[in-house]
Amino acid sequence: MTALPKGRLLAIDHGERRIGLAVSDPLGIIASPAGFVERRAGKRLPIAELVRRAEALEVQGFVVGLPLDGDGNETPRTAEARQIAAELVRRTGLPARLVDERFTAAAALRTVRTLGGSTRDRKGDVDAMAATILLQHALSLPDAE
């Protein structure tokens, strides 16, 4: 598994319609939502937009959510996550770490509801929160697993 560099990281929680984003502080301690990128049906992955966001945020690396099923097995979307990570590494030269994203969406929905919010018309916010949960989890992982 790729070790995460010290510094600001961008987390990517990709879905069929949106890609949730989160960024860590420069010390790599706290994750915060960083918006989302809309995906257009039938179009290529928006890698160029992810690279632009990474450059604007001055990140040192990426955390890409790895969609596994409930038993930890790969899913059809797992290959797409691996493709995103590989393409980000190729285009930026920055490291990327794949991290199990099971249950991040459910945790994000719970968080929004607990804070008294409605998830209606806020799907992008929920996706960004899922990326934040993913990144906070990744920041707590040891560098080598």
Side-chain angles (χ1 to χ4, degrees), residues 73-121:
N73 299 313
E74 298 210 359
T75 69
R77 287 189 39 235
T78 303
E80 189 172 78
R82 292 185 189 286
Q83 177 188 356
I84 290 169
E87 196 60 25
L88 289 170
V89 169
R90 187 183 74 75
R91 291 193 191 190
T92 67
L94 299 173
R97 184 174 189 180
L98 293 159
V99 175
D100 182 353
E101 71 171 25
R102 283 180 288 174
F103 315 116
T104 57
L109 286 168
R110 267 194 318 276
T111 300
V112 170
R113 289 182 184 131
T114 299
L115 294 173
S118 167
T119 58
R120 186 177 180 170
D121 300 325

Side-chain angles (χ1 to χ4, degrees), residues 23-138:
V23 66
S24 69
D25 67 298
L27 298 176
I29 297 171
I30 300 170
S32 300
F36 61 94
V37 175
E38 292 282 349
R39 290 187 62 181
R40 295 186 320 212
K43 300 293 182 183
R44 293 186 312 194
L45 291 167
I47 300 294
E49 179 60 22
L50 296 175
V51 169
R52 278 192 289 281
R53 300 273 183 108
E55 289 170 350
L57 293 167
E58 300 177 345
V59 302
Q60 303 300 310
F62 301 95
V63 171
V64 179
L66 190 63
L68 302 172
D69 69 15
D71 294 324
N73 299 313
E74 298 210 359
T75 69
R77 287 189 39 235
T78 303
E80 189 172 78
R82 292 185 189 286
Q83 177 188 356
I84 290 169
E87 196 60 25
L88 289 170
V89 169
R90 187 183 74 75
R91 291 193 191 190
T92 67
L94 299 173
R97 184 174 189 180
L98 293 159
V99 175
D100 182 353
E101 71 171 25
R102 283 180 288 174
F103 315 116
T104 57
L109 286 168
R110 267 194 318 276
T111 300
V112 170
R113 289 182 184 131
T114 299
L115 294 173
S118 167
T119 58
R120 186 177 180 170
D121 300 325
R122 296 185 62 197
K123 294 188 186 328
D125 293 338
V126 172
D127 292 329
M129 181 62 70
T132 304
I133 292 167
L134 172 73
L135 181 54
Q136 196 65 59
H137 171 67

